[in-house]
Amino acid sequence: MAEYKQPRLNGAYYGPAIPPAEPPRQRSNSARRCCCCLLSIFCKVLVAIIVFIGLFILIFWLVVQPRLFKFHVSEAKLTQFNYTDNTLHYNLVLNFTARNPNKKLNIYYDKVEGQVLYDGVGFASTDVVTWKNSFRQHTKSTDSMSGVFLGQYVVARDHERDSDFDKDKKRGVFHIDVRLYFTIRFRLGDGIGGDTKAKAKCELGVPLSSNGITGTAFQPTECDVDF
C-alpha cells in the first residue's frame, strides 16, 4: 500500500518552531526595572558625594577653625553736624580696629567702603581701604584703619527728623549708623582664596565737639560682622 503524503500548502512554514513574541507588558516591565536600577545607582552615587563633601567640610572646620574677624570703632570725632537751608553740613572722622582671631588664617583687606547714616538716611560715603593701602593681616593680630566723612548733603527734612535732630543736638550726642562693606581674601599656608564679601554694622553715639572740646567722651563700639 502506497504511503500517503500530505501536500504542502503554499506559504506554509515547516522549519523549527519560533518562540512566541514577548508580550508588550513584559517589555515595559523590563524597561521599568532597568530605569529603576539606574536611578538607584545614581542616588547612591549622589549620597556618597554629599557624604564625602560633608566629611571634608567637617574635617576642614575642625582643623582650621575659621572665625569672623572682630571690628570696632575705636574713635569718633564729630566737629560739624548742622542743617542750613535743608543742607546737612558734616565733618566726621572715624578710626577703626580690625582683629583677626584665627590661628591659621591670614586675611587680606583688599577693599573697604564706609557709609554713614543719620535717622535712616545715608548722607556720606568714603573708601576706607583701596588697592593703594590694602594690607595683609596676620593671625592673632590687630590693625587700624580710618575714614573721613566731610562735606554737605541736601536732604528733605520733615517734622519727625527735625525732632530727632533737635533732641540729639540738645544732648550733644548724635546717633549715627555706620555700614562697612569689605572685599577680603583668606590665606591658609601658601594658598589664597578668592574674593569674599563681608559687611559690618555699627550703631554709634557720637558727641559733637566744639573748639575741640566735647561734653561726653565717645565710647568705643563693637560692630556686628556678617558674611
Side-chain angles (χ1 to χ4, degrees):
M1 184 177 181
E3 182 179 359
Y4 174 77
K5 293 184 179 180
Q6 182 179 359
R8 296 189 175 212
L9 300 178
N10 292 335
Y13 177 76
Y14 293 91
I18 299 176
E22 183 181 359
R25 180 173 298 178
Q26 292 184 7
R27 290 199 300 268
S28 176
N29 291 338
S30 177
R32 188 178 295 110
R33 286 194 298 270
C34 182
C35 290
C36 291
C37 181
L38 291 176
L39 182 61
S40 176
I41 294 174
F42 174 77
C43 290
K44 291 178 180 178
V45 171
L46 181 62
V47 170
I49 293 175
I50 293 174
V51 171
F52 175 79
I53 294 175
L55 288 175
F56 175 81
I57 294 175
L58 178 60
I59 293 173
F60 176 83
W61 185 273
L62 292 175
V63 172
V64 178
Q65 296 181 353
R67 299 170 63 187
L68 294 173
F69 61 89
K70 303 293 184 180
F71 202 77
H72 290 78
V73 180
S74 55
E75 293 181 288
K77 186 176 182 181
L78 183 64
T79 56
Q80 184 181 23
F81 202 76
N82 61 281
Y83 281 111
T84 303
D85 298 329
N86 290 333
T87 301
L88 176 65
H89 300 267
Y90 54 87
N91 188 351
L92 172 66
V93 179
L94 298 175
N95 292 329
F96 308 100
T97 57
R99 175 159 181 79
N100 179 10
N102 291 285
K103 297 179 180 179
K104 298 184 179 182
L105 289 176
N106 289 197
I107 301 175
Y108 288 95
Y109 292 88
D110 293 327
K111 187 176 182 180
V112 181
E113 299 177 50
Q115 181 185 25
V116 288
L117 305 88
Y118 180 74
D119 209 14
V121 177
F123 62 88
S125 61
T126 190
D127 291 327
V128 178
V129 173
T130 65
W131 64 271
K132 294 182 179 180
N133 60 340
S134 60
F135 62 95
R136 171 185 175 183
Q137 186 176 49
H138 294 273
T139 60
K140 294 291 184 178
S141 63
T142 301
D143 292 276
S144 301
M145 58 187 81
S146 62
V148 178
F149 305 87
L150 173 64
Q152 57 189 27
Y153 179 79
V154 178
V155 58
R157 300 181 62 179
D158 55 43
H159 177 73
E160 184 177 354
R161 185 173 294 118
D162 288 349
S163 178
D164 292 339
F165 181 83
D166 292 338
K167 291 178 182 178
D168 287 351
K169 186 176 181 180
K170 185 177 180 179
R171 286 193 296 261
V173 177
F174 289 89
H175 293 85
I176 296 175
D177 295 332
V178 182
R179 302 289 184 267
L180 295 117
Y181 304 93
F182 300 82
T183 301
I184 59 177
R185 290 174 296 156
F186 290 98
R187 174 170 181 163
L188 177 63
D190 294 330
I192 302 176
D195 289 347
T196 300
K197 302 296 183 180
K199 57 184 178 181
K201 299 179 180 180
C202 321
E203 297 181 356
L204 309 179
V206 185
L208 179 65
S209 63
S210 177
N211 298 323
I213 301 175
T214 58
T216 305
F218 173 77
Q219 299 297 323
T221 305
E222 182 177 2
C223 304
D224 295 328
V225 180
D226 191 18
F227 284 94

